[in-house]
Amino acid sequence: MTDETRENLDRLLLTGGVRLGPAQRDRLGWLVGQYGLPTLDNVSERRRNGVIILREPPSGAAAELLYRSLTPGCAVVIPRSENPGFDFLKSKLTEFGTVAPCGADGPHEMWWGGIGWSKFLTAADATTLRPRIVSCYPRRGDATAAFALRHSLERFDLACHIEPIDTEFSDRLLCFEKAEFMLRMWNKYREPLLFVETGAVLREAPLLPSFLGCDVALHKWNRWEMSARTLYLGRTERAERLLRTWQQLAASYPAIWDGYLLDQAWSLTSSQMPLDTVWLPRSYHALKGDLGAMRATILHDQQTTTLELGPDPAFAGIARAARRAGRTGARDAFMVMTSKAETGNGIAVILRDVSAGDADAVAATVEAVTGAYAADCGGYGRLELSLCAWQDDVGAARDAAAMARYRILEIAPGQRIANDFFAAHATDDAVMTARHLFP
């Protein structure tokens, strides 16, 4: 991207009141370099190429018109994609990735997508950055599947590391065993890592994640359930944080299946740093019997099924709608900020009625809350901000905050948030404590 293009992009974002953190700005700049000039909310005419930045959730009819106007040469970027009002449009498009918020400087999720992966899949073949393929299997199990994976790698000239490891069971890996193996590979090698479950074979070189330059890439089964059968980790601090969080959760909850713990690690990491996630296409997680199995990049030795990969289909029911839209959802904190306050007190701010509120009002309130905390934390060492569309979401967020023994504040879109918002509520806490001690 030239200096002139960069300046034009900065001017466009400033004119549109779009606030992006550095990681989000880098991803948008990369997209402009791939697709061409960006426009704000320009959905009125058919375009052959370019990046369309949407600030307001479109109506159902407008979403349909936008979808029909797009070509493979267009990308759609939603810089305030935490708002559920965008979910319907996202459901019509191909989801490419999500960049998580970054504190007060970039307090929104950024979603990006289009109408198909063809442009990227073709361009990825020319990338020079190649991942190391890693995999492991039970030492007491059958090594045939591992041999098949290794054999499929030979024609692509990709570095690999496939080894047997000691496991509790001879026929499968537990999550903590897989996560510990991945952490060991992270410390041993310096290339990006692509974990592929043994039993899979490679039909094409898996270069898409490294071409996209993301922190992490994985596939969502049925668009909501994260799978750990194919997992890419770029060589970034954010990818390492995700990996270590996953390993810690797996060590603490060894009986829980790996996809759900990966989901939780993703949610926790995304709330604390601008994790750049790519949602891999089905060709990177194809199963035997899939209609597109012959064109798959990674083909897993599993039969196609209408059931979820996890053992309990209802386990993550509360998170499904959010995950389908690339969001963290109300059960999990949208954003976590910390301060230098020496106290261990935390405060949870719940922004309710997000679906019913005006999109600009919701965005402005998010910016006001994070800006107020950055200016004056009020003595609270940790802020957790949750966005809730429905009353059930509010209840889930309140329960989570209560378990952490946080002070809970509930606000509405458009509510005035003063710069001393947190200091004023800290004063309220002190007054209440004094009244309790000296009635």
Side-chain angles (χ1 to χ4, degrees):
M1 187 166 57
T2 65
D3 290 342
E4 182 180 0
T5 301
R6 186 177 294 105
E7 291 176 1
N8 290 338
L9 177 57
D10 290 341
R11 191 179 304 112
L12 181 70
L13 296 177
L14 182 62
T15 301
V18 177
R19 293 178 58 182
L20 299 178
Q24 297 168 336
R25 178 63 178 73
D26 289 345
R27 173 57 67 189
L28 178 59
W30 185 88
L31 286 170
V32 170
Q34 294 291 319
Y35 284 93
L37 296 176
T39 58
L40 283 174
D41 305 319
N42 184 5
V43 298
S44 59
E45 60 183 42
R46 185 172 181 84
R47 302 185 61 197
R48 298 186 62 85
N49 54 60
V51 177
I52 300 171
I53 303 172
L54 291 181
R55 295 173 296 174
E56 290 285 338
S59 65
E64 182 66 29
L65 289 174
L66 171 60
Y67 173 73
R68 293 183 181 183
S69 73
L70 296 176
T71 71
C74 298
V76 175
V77 173
I78 305 176
R80 300 167 179 172
S81 67
E82 69 274 7
N83 193 317
F86 290 104
D87 287 4
F88 177 69
L89 173 62
K90 293 178 188 176
S91 73
K92 301 188 71 64
L93 299 173
T94 299
E95 182 181 45
F96 295 152
T98 309
V99 186
C102 180
D105 293 333
H108 303 288
E109 288 178 345
M110 191 183 85
W111 183 96
W112 53 291
I115 63 170
W117 283 99
S118 58
K119 178 180 176 68
F120 289 146
L121 290 173
T122 301
D125 292 338
T127 185
T128 57
L129 180 61
R130 306 171 78 82
R132 176 177 289 270
I133 311 300
V134 296
S135 188
C136 60
Y137 60 96
R139 190 181 304 276
R140 294 173 291 137
D142 186 358
T144 304
F147 292 151
L149 174 60
R150 188 185 298 274
H151 178 70
S152 72
L153 287 168
E154 291 177 353
R155 67 190 182 99
F156 299 117
D157 192 28
L158 291 170
C160 70
H161 182 114
I162 304 172
E163 71 170 52
I165 63 173
D166 294 324
T167 58
E168 286 195 24
F169 301 97
S170 61
D171 62 340
R172 64 185 185 275
L173 295 171
L174 295 178
C175 181
F176 77 91
E177 294 164 344
K178 182 184 293 187
E180 288 175 355
F181 167 77
M182 286 293 289
L183 187 57
R184 185 157 54 85
M185 294 299 98
W186 180 271
N187 293 329
K188 182 174 183 177
Y189 297 109
R190 288 294 170 262
E191 308 103 312
L193 301 179
L194 178 63
F195 177 88
V196 179
E197 194 96 356
T198 54
V201 294
L202 270 64
R203 294 186 177 274
E204 301 288 344
L207 303 179
L208 178 64
S210 53
F211 167 72
L212 295 174
C214 55
D215 296 321
V216 58
L218 65 159
H219 178 73
K220 287 188 293 187
W221 182 256
N222 288 339
R223 296 193 70 172
W224 70 267
E225 183 178 350
M226 298 186 190
S227 172
R229 291 179 178 274
T230 302
L231 177 62
Y232 172 86
L233 297 172
R235 296 306 306 194
T236 67
E237 178 186 353
R238 297 184 291 262
E240 182 178 9
R241 174 75 70 85
L242 172 77
L243 175 58
R244 293 188 181 278
T245 302
W246 187 39
Q247 187 271 333
Q248 291 164 6
L249 288 173
S252 300
Y253 305 97
I256 297 180
W257 49 283
D258 54 7
Y260 182 77
L261 292 180
L262 183 58
D263 177 293
Q264 292 304 287
W266 176 83
S267 178
L268 286 169
T269 308
S270 294
S271 70
Q272 298 177 46
M273 56 199 325
L275 189 70
D276 188 344
T277 304
V278 163
W279 305 112
L280 290 172
R282 182 63 178 265
S283 61
Y284 273 68
H285 199 289
L287 305 184
K288 288 184 176 180
D290 281 5
L291 291 176
M294 294 303 296
R295 299 187 301 275
T297 299
I298 300 174
L299 182 63
H300 289 277
D301 186 21
Q302 299 286 326
Q303 290 297 321
T304 300
T305 173
T306 58
L307 298 177
E308 288 82 359
L309 292 181
D312 184 357
F315 197 45
I318 193 173
R320 292 190 190 189
R323 295 301 186 267
R324 286 190 185 105
R327 295 187 286 106
T328 51
R331 182 192 57 173
D332 308 301
F334 162 66
M335 189 193 312
V336 175
M337 294 176 64
T338 57
S339 72
K340 296 181 180 180
E342 296 181 359
T343 63
N345 295 339
I347 186 167
V349 176
I350 299 172
L351 179 56
R352 66 175 186 270
D353 302 330
V354 170
S355 286
D358 176 77
D360 281 339
V362 172
T365 305
V366 168
E367 294 171 8
V369 170
T370 54
Y373 185 79
D376 186 347
C377 68
Y380 294 105
R382 184 181 177 93
L383 161 68
E384 294 198 4
L385 175 61
S386 296
L387 308 186
C388 298
W390 316 109
Q391 194 57 41
D392 289 346
D393 295 339
V394 173
R398 291 185 72 90
D399 290 345
M403 288 181 63
R405 297 183 178 180
Y406 283 6
R407 171 73 191 278
I408 302 173
L409 298 177
E410 189 175 323
I411 61 175
Q415 181 173 327
R416 182 179 180 275
I417 306 295
N419 286 337
D420 63 348
F421 178 77
F422 293 96
H425 286 287
T427 302
D428 292 344
D429 288 344
V431 171
M432 291 173 64
T433 301
R435 286 176 179 171
H436 176 72
L437 294 175
F438 307 104

